[in-house]
Amino acid sequence: MPRGFAGEKAPADWPRLPGSPRPERAELPVDSLSGVGPALRKKLAGLGLQTIRDLLEHRPHRYESAVPERRIADLLAGEESAIAGEVRSVSVRRPRRNLALVQARVADGSDEITAVWFNQAWLAEKLQPGTRVRLRGQLKRNGFQVRSYDLNGVTATADFAPVYPAGEEVTPQRLRGLVERALPKARDLPDALPAGLKVAERLPLRSDALYALHRPRSLEEGEAGRRRLAFDELLVLQVGLARARVGREEARAPALGEPGELTARYRALLPFQLTADQEHAIAEIDRDLAREAPMQRLLQGDVGSGKTVVALYALLRAVESGRLGALMAPTETLAEQHFLTIEPLCTELGVRPALLTGSVKSQLEDAQIVVGTHALIQEGVELRELGVAVVDEQHRFGVEQRRALVEGRAPHLLHMTATPIPRTLALTLYGDLSVTEIAKPPASRKPIVTSWVTAERSSAAYTRLRKHLDAGRQAYVVCPLIEESETSQSRAAEAEAQRLRRAELRDYRVGLLHGRLRPAERRELMAQFKAVELDVLVATTVIEVGVDVPNATIMIVQEADRFGLAQLHQLRGRVGRGAEQSYCLLISRAREELTDNAKERLQALVDSTDGFELAERDLELRGEGQLLGTRQAGLSDLRFVHWRRDRPLLERARAAAEGLVSYEGPLTDEVERVFGERQPAA
C-alpha cells in the first residue's frame, strides 16, 4: 500500500497546486470567450483560429508606430495622425453592393470632421452620439479614414498596439480585443522546454513571452517575446527531423549505377536545350542514385521552370535499371496533366505509363511508370520493385500519406514543389532533405506583364483579352474563390461562364473547367483547349498547377484580392509558357475597399515575376505558418519564426536538438503532436 508523508495513505488524486497550468483551458473553443457567437466563430475559423490557444499564438505582424496627436483643426492631408473627440452623429451608407460606409461626425472643440470606416456597419451601434473616441488614420478627400480606434477604454490606437493578420470579415481591431480577453489563459499553455535548456539559453517563461508579444511596452520587448516562441518552434522541428534521420540511417535503396541508353535517348528526344539549372539538378540526382542510401531530395523551382522534365528523367533512371517509377500528385487534375505531359514521350521511348486515380484505374501489371494521386498508396495497389518515387507538391500531402508511399520498401525519393520556399526555410522544414533549386525559366520565355485594375475598368480588361483572341491566341478567366466548398466554387464558375457567353465573350468559344467535372470530361475539355477548339477557358483554381498550353497568352483573374500571393503567382504561371509575350490582368474591388494587406499582395505581383522573391514577400505579408498551403501535421504550423532574421536562432535550435534526440518529457509530446506520430491524448 503506497503511503504519503507522515505515514498517511496517498490520495487517489493529488490536488492541483494553485497556479498550476491547466492546458485543457487553452484548448477551449473561441466561443467560450464572452462576445463570440456562432457567426463570429465561423469567421474566426476561416482565419485558422478555433481555440484559445490559436488566439494566443496568433502573432502580430507589426506594431503601431508613434504618430502625432493633432487637433482636428490642425490636421494635415495625407499625414497619419491621431485625434480625440466626441461623436455628434452617425450614419451608414451603402453606395453599392459589397460596400458599407460608416460615417460619424466627430468634434474636439477646435473643429469637427467626418470619420469614415469601410465595411464595418456593425460599428454604427457603438458610435452613438456622446461617445468619446480616439481615432488614428489619415485625412483624405472624403473625410478622416480610420485605421484604428479606441472605444470604451480599449487602447487600439496606442503606440506598440499589436496589428494582427486579419481578413475581410474580422478586422485587426476586433482580433485585438479577442486576444486581450484570451491573454489571462496564457499561463495555461504548457512550457515544454527542459528547465536546463531554458537556463542555458537564458529564455523567459513561455507565458511571459506571450504577454510580451501581445502587450509590449516597447518594440524590443515584443521582439524578445517572439524570439522565445520562435526558438520553441525551431527546436521542436529540429528534434523531430533529427529523430527521423536516426530512423532512416539503416534504410538501403538499390544503387542504380550510371545513366544508360534510355535516358540518353530521352535527352536527345527533347525539342529544346536543358537550362543550366536543369543540368545541375540532373547531375545531383545521378549522384544520389549511384548510392545505396535512399535519395531524399527536394526539387523546387518557379512556375514553368521545367521541373517535370527533370522528374521524368529520374523516373526513367528507375525504368532503365529494370525497376518501377511512380509519380504521386495531390489532385486528380494535376495527376492527369502530368500523365498527358509524359505519355507522348514515354510512347516514343517504348516505355509503358499508367494512370491511377480515384476515378481512373489503368492496368498496372506491365506498367513501368505509374502516375497517380494518393490512390497509389491505397490497400491492394502493389508497387513492386519501386526504384524511384516522385512526390509532387509534396507539402499538400500529410506526413502519413508520404510515409505510406515508402513503407515496406526503400525507393529513392524526389520531392517536388512549385511553391518556391526561401532557402533558409527549406533547410529548416526539410532539414533531412538535400535541396535543389531550378531558379531560372528557359531563356525563350518572356516575363509575364502583370496589370492591376479595379472592377469599374474591367470592360477595358476584356477589350484587351478579345484582341489576343482575334490574333489567334487563347485565354483563361479565373473565377473568384467564393468559399472553400468545391460545389459552390463550381456553381459560381458555371454562372460566370454563362454570363460571359452572353456578354463580353459572346462571339467566342468558351469552355468551363472546375473540380466537380468527371475526369473524362476534364481530359476532353483540356484536349479541346490544347487543339484550339476553344478560345477561352473559364476556370476555378483547379488550373493552379499542371496546365500547360503555350498558345494561351492572357489571363484575367476576377476579384484577385480574394486570393493569396502564392496562389496568384501559381495561377499566373498558366500563361507565358510559349515564346509569345503574355499578360495577366488582376481585377479587384475599389482600392479604398481593400485591406492594406490585399493592396500589398496585388502590388507585389505587379512588381515581380520572380517566385522566390514573391515567396519572401509572402512570408512578410502572411506570416511563415501559412506559406506552405494546407495546414498539416505541424510543418506548416510555424507562427513565430521570421526566416530572414532568425538564422542564428535556427543554428542554436539545431545544436540543442542534437542532445535531445532521446529526451523523454513534455517536449516529446510536442514533437509528436507536430509530426503527427500519434494523436494527442484526449
Side-chain angles (χ1 to χ4, degrees), residues 286-572:
D286 280 337
R287 275 198 299 276
D288 289 347
L289 297 181
R291 296 195 290 262
E292 283 194 340
M295 173 170 72
Q296 288 283 344
R297 184 165 292 280
L298 173 68
L299 176 65
Q300 64 166 6
D302 208 346
V303 177
S305 61
K307 294 180 301 299
T308 307
V309 172
V310 175
L312 181 54
Y313 176 88
L315 295 169
L316 291 170
R317 287 294 318 274
V319 173
E320 68 184 3
S321 67
R323 296 177 181 276
L324 181 69
L327 192 162
M328 187 164 80
T331 66
E332 289 199 0
T333 305
L334 185 50
E336 287 162 9
Q337 288 303 319
H338 277 311
F339 184 74
L340 291 172
T341 301
I342 73 167
E343 186 184 32
L345 289 162
C346 286
T347 302
E348 283 201 58
L349 292 167
V351 171
R352 297 180 298 279
L355 177 64
L356 181 66
T357 67
S359 309
V360 178
K361 291 177 174 55
S362 304
Q363 283 295 321
L364 298 186
E365 284 175 23
D366 60 347
Q368 294 168 293
I369 291 178
V370 183
V371 179
T373 57
H374 52 78
L376 288 176
I377 55 176
Q378 286 173 357
E379 202 172 328
V381 176
E382 281 291 320
L383 297 178
R384 288 189 299 274
E385 297 296 311
L386 182 59
V388 173
V390 176
V391 183
D392 193 17
E393 293 301 313
Q394 66 97 37
H395 59 273
R396 289 165 70 173
F397 289 102
V399 171
E400 296 298 333
Q401 289 173 311
R402 294 201 298 270
R403 186 179 294 142
L405 184 63
V406 299
E407 205 152 28
R409 54 181 89 89
H412 294 285
L413 260 179
L414 181 66
H415 304 263
M416 200 161 66
T417 179
T419 304
I421 305 166
R423 194 167 182 80
T424 309
L425 173 54
L427 291 171
T428 305
L429 287 184
Y430 310 117
D432 51 342
L433 302 186
S434 308
V435 180
T436 297
E437 289 175 358
I438 303 182
K440 291 187 170 61
S444 61
R445 302 240 175 117
K446 296 173 181 167
I448 300 161
V449 176
T450 304
S451 304
W452 168 22
V453 298
T454 48
E456 60 266 23
R457 289 185 52 217
S458 64
S459 61
Y462 279 99
T463 300
R464 197 158 154 197
L465 182 140
R466 288 193 294 270
K467 283 183 182 172
H468 281 251
L469 301 181
D470 293 341
R473 302 294 169 198
Q474 290 164 281
Y476 298 102
V477 175
V478 181
C479 288
L481 190 71
I482 307 295
E483 285 180 39
E484 286 301 309
S485 156
E486 205 172 65
T487 305
S488 58
Q489 280 185 49
S490 305
R491 283 183 188 142
E494 284 166 2
E496 182 59 15
Q498 287 169 6
R499 189 192 72 78
L500 288 169
R501 285 176 186 134
R502 291 192 306 268
E504 289 95 338
L505 301 176
R506 60 184 169 276
D507 298 324
Y508 302 92
R509 299 165 298 174
V510 178
L512 171 64
L513 182 68
H514 57 69
R516 298 195 75 221
L517 291 177
R518 287 195 293 272
E521 292 173 317
R522 279 203 301 269
R523 283 197 298 278
E524 173 64 22
L525 196 66
M526 286 311 303
Q528 286 180 318
F529 193 55
K530 278 194 168 182
V532 201
E533 293 168 13
L534 293 170
D535 301 308
V536 181
L537 201 58
V538 175
T540 60
T541 54
V542 294
I543 64 155
E544 185 183 342
V545 285
V547 177
D548 188 356
V549 179
N551 192 47
T553 57
I554 189 165
M555 168 182 283
I556 287 178
V557 183
Q558 296 178 335
E559 293 191 52
D561 50 286
R562 294 184 182 274
F563 296 90
L565 181 51
Q567 191 172 40
L568 284 170
H569 181 58
Q570 292 292 326
L571 288 167
R572 175 172 65 178

Side-chain angles (χ1 to χ4, degrees), residues 242-263:
R243 290 181 178 182
R245 282 195 295 274
V246 169
R248 273 206 300 271
E249 280 168 0
E250 305 302 314
R252 288 287 174 269
L256 302 186
E258 295 298 313
E261 174 265 344
L262 178 62
T263 44

